[in-house]
Amino acid sequence: MERAEKGGGRGSRCGGSWSHRGGLDRWWLWRGGRGSKAVASPNTHQTRWLWARPVPATSVPCPSAGPQRTMKVLLLTGLGALFFAYYWDDNFDPASLQGARVLLTGASAGVGEELAYHYARLGSHLVLTARTEALLQKVVGNCRKLGAPKVFYIAADMASPEAPESVVQFALDKLGGLDYLVLNHIGGVPAGTRARTPQATRWLMQVNFLSYVQLTSRALPSLTDSKGSLVVVSSLLAAKFALDSFFGSLRRELDVQDVNVAITMCVLGLRDRASAAEAVRGVTRVKAAPGPKAALAVIRGGATRAAGVFYPWRFHLLCLLRRWLPRPRAWFIRQDLNVTVAAAA
């Protein structure tokens, strides 16, 4: 008796089956979704092909399909569990901020003002700084009403290269050291200065980048002694992209030197204040992030020594795309910007 020829069909490994009936061996073959069978006659060497309906896939299971599917399910389940553990594990202890010594910049309005109020409710000792003294005095008064044990302020313009060192020295003198340095100030192009000129670029870099570096360098010895935290409130603005690189490098340097100072990078959306909304009217479709909620997210991240805080959460996706996929990142950013108006500005 001769065995049927296999022919050149696909699926012979997992989709074929042997059957014996009437003294003939039959091999079911698959060819592009159609079933066929080759029947060999016992008396001749000829093979004749007959078309038949294909055997259902469920009736002839592949031996490796079950374990592979199980491994995929287990892998996805494990990744999901890690995701929820990372984002939902909340070990924030409000009592840890009672008596903490905090230097907060940009504290006169917006998220900075809300940060000051949250720290005051939690019983922290505060030094607040901003450019406008009258606004600072109002915030200081409110912080005292909310229960802050100690509140001091110093008016300073971060556009001046001498201001960062004087601010940190003032905080050290008043508080005796620092547990938290919260860098939140931000500056736009000053009135009467055209955008994208060398003068405007230097001004922006001093306020939004160099002052951050100066404040950090001056406060780092005190933070090292207290094993404190450095909280940086950043954004997706071009002038603040440099902060990610600088503080990322600083974090690695501190790790190598075994210095126990945490660095928390906070990426927030549009600030919830009238001046910020008016400045970008017609340029962006992004809605303002609620100040109290954004401020609380920053405080939680700093107190738990988290590496990053994103509010709203979709900015985490934008930051990942910025590193991995430059072209989709540009597409996402264009969805938030009125590119025609932005280019003409």
Side-chain angles (χ1 to χ4, degrees):
M1 180 181 297
E2 297 181 5
R3 180 164 294 179
E5 298 178 6
K6 293 178 74 170
R10 294 188 304 169
S12 59
R13 182 179 178 183
C14 297
S17 63
W18 285 96
S19 63
H20 182 77
R21 187 172 62 182
L24 296 178
D25 291 316
R26 297 180 180 180
W27 177 255
W28 292 87
L29 301 175
W30 293 90
R31 307 181 96 184
R34 300 179 65 186
S36 60
K37 61 179 180 179
V39 181
S41 172
N43 300 324
T44 65
H45 295 284
Q46 296 179 354
T47 301
R48 57 190 181 91
W49 291 86
L50 299 177
W51 294 106
R53 301 181 66 179
V55 179
T58 56
S59 63
V60 188
C62 179
S64 61
Q68 290 179 356
R69 186 176 303 169
T70 303
M71 290 299 297
K72 289 180 180 179
V73 172
L74 291 176
L75 178 60
L76 292 176
T77 303
L79 291 176
L82 289 175
F83 177 85
F84 283 105
Y86 178 81
Y87 284 98
W88 292 95
D89 184 22
D90 187 6
N91 56 350
F92 172 59
D93 181 14
S96 65
L97 292 172
Q98 187 172 2
R101 300 164 297 178
V102 181
L103 170 57
L104 171 62
T105 68
S108 61
V111 174
E113 181 180 2
E114 298 297 336
L115 283 168
Y117 296 156
H118 280 305
Y119 279 120
R121 293 187 187 96
L122 294 170
S124 302
H125 303 290
L126 298 174
V127 169
L128 309 179
T129 183
R131 187 171 52 182
T132 308
E133 185 173 3
L135 295 177
L136 275 175
Q137 291 175 344
K138 182 197 72 172
V139 175
V140 167
N142 292 334
C143 287
R144 287 172 178 161
K145 294 177 182 178
L146 292 172
K150 296 180 182 179
V151 187
F152 306 96
Y153 76 91
I154 174 173
D157 186 356
M158 293 300 168
S160 171
E162 295 79 19
E165 184 173 355
S166 62
V167 167
V168 175
Q169 188 60 50
F170 177 84
L172 294 176
D173 293 341
K174 293 297 183 181
L175 301 180
L178 289 175
D179 299 306
Y180 290 89
L181 173 61
V182 184
L183 303 176
N184 172 69
H185 61 279
I186 185 173
V189 178
T193 305
R194 294 185 59 187
R196 292 190 290 271
T197 63
Q199 180 183 359
T201 302
R202 283 193 296 269
W203 193 93
L204 289 172
M205 291 302 294
Q206 172 60 39
V207 175
N208 296 329
F209 176 67
L210 293 177
S211 64
Y212 279 65
V213 177
Q214 293 173 294
L215 289 162
T216 301
S217 300
R218 184 66 182 85
L220 193 55
S222 180
L223 293 173
T224 301
D225 293 338
S226 64
K227 299 181 180 180
S229 296
L230 177 61
V231 182
V232 183
V233 181
S234 183
S235 67
L236 295 178
L237 295 177
K240 285 204 168 186
F241 271 112
L243 294 177
D244 293 341
S245 298
F246 172 76
F247 286 103
S249 299
L250 178 60
R251 180 187 287 123
R252 286 188 286 271
E253 181 179 342
L254 295 178
D255 290 340
V256 170
Q257 297 175 358
D258 197 23
V259 177
N260 190 11
V261 175
I263 298 179
T264 300
M265 296 297 298
C266 306
V267 179
L268 306 183
L270 179 64
R271 307 300 177 89
D272 188 13
R273 50 189 296 187
S275 58
E278 184 63 29
V280 296
R281 185 182 298 276
V283 177
T284 180
R285 302 184 182 95
V286 178
K287 295 182 180 180
K293 292 183 179 180
L296 186 58
V298 171
I299 290 177
R300 284 176 176 268
T304 58
R305 305 173 77 88
V309 173
F310 302 90
Y311 190 91
W313 65 269
R314 65 189 181 88
F315 282 99
H316 194 181
L317 177 60
L318 287 176
C319 290
L320 292 177
L321 290 174
R322 182 181 66 190
R323 298 175 184 174
W324 299 342
L325 305 171
R327 292 189 178 183
R329 175 201 68 189
W331 182 88
F332 274 99
I333 292 177
R334 288 192 184 99
Q335 304 311 303
D336 292 333
L337 293 178
N338 186 336
V339 179
T340 305
V341 176

